[in-house]
Amino acid sequence: MKNKTPQKKQPKQLRTARLSVSVAIQDALEVGKILKKFVEIFGVYDEKKRTEIKNRKVVNEEITINLSGYELTRINGALRDYLTLRIANIFDSRPACKSLKDYPDIDLNKIKKIPEIKKILHARDNWIGHINKRFIGPVDKKVLYGKKVIDLLRQIEILVCTETIKEKNN
């Protein structure tokens, strides 16, 4: 027999912009490293196999991961899309989102004009988050995890995590 005493509802905890942004940045940086490593491994593997097929010398060597080329491509695409979403979340200006928009000292419109960030947001809005009737395509991995984006994320992470910039009080 179940106990019928009413349980007290726990108050909902609200996520702060600081937590949202810092988690998204850390996630993006970590997944970006994985994606970069994956692209390097896949690129070497793919190039090696193409050369072996071209030279008709397919070497019988053991592969640690038994995935088809199709599966590797799908994993690569999923990592790329996930990274695009996480980075775009940091710069999201929709009212319901917790992002850099909650920091009055940051000029979000100026950051959104950075070409790499603009491409990431455009891909999220027209390729990943919503499908546009025009073919937009994903963000190139060299842009998505390039030095400019990494440096920007690290700078923002320092400002947010050290509370050098403060989020607005809601």
Side-chain angles (χ1 to χ4, degrees), residues 15-34:
R15 183 181 282 183
T16 64
R18 179 176 177 237
L19 178 63
S20 298
V21 170
S22 62
V23 167
I25 289 171
Q26 290 169 3
D27 207 20
L29 290 171
E30 289 173 17
V31 172
K33 284 179 189 175
I34 294 167

Side-chain angles (χ1 to χ4, degrees), residues 98-139:
K98 287 292 185 186
S99 68
L100 286 179
K101 75 169 176 41
D102 295 304
Y103 287 86
D105 293 337
I106 290 185
D107 186 349
L108 193 56
N109 290 326
K110 191 172 183 179
I111 292 174
K112 285 181 168 187
K113 290 179 183 174
I114 297 171
E116 292 82 357
I117 300 305
K118 194 173 184 176
K119 286 179 184 177
I120 291 168
L121 292 171
H122 188 67
R124 189 272 313 264
D125 293 343
N126 297 292
W127 173 255
I128 299 167
H130 308 93
I131 302 300
N132 195 322
K133 62 183 172 183
R134 292 176 294 131
F135 181 77
I136 308 272
V139 179

Side-chain angles (χ1 to χ4, degrees), residues 62-75:
E62 209 169 306
I63 298 173
T64 333
I65 302 171
N66 189 14
L67 294 172
S68 70
Y70 174 79
E71 291 167 322
L72 289 171
T73 303
R74 299 299 288 177
I75 292 168

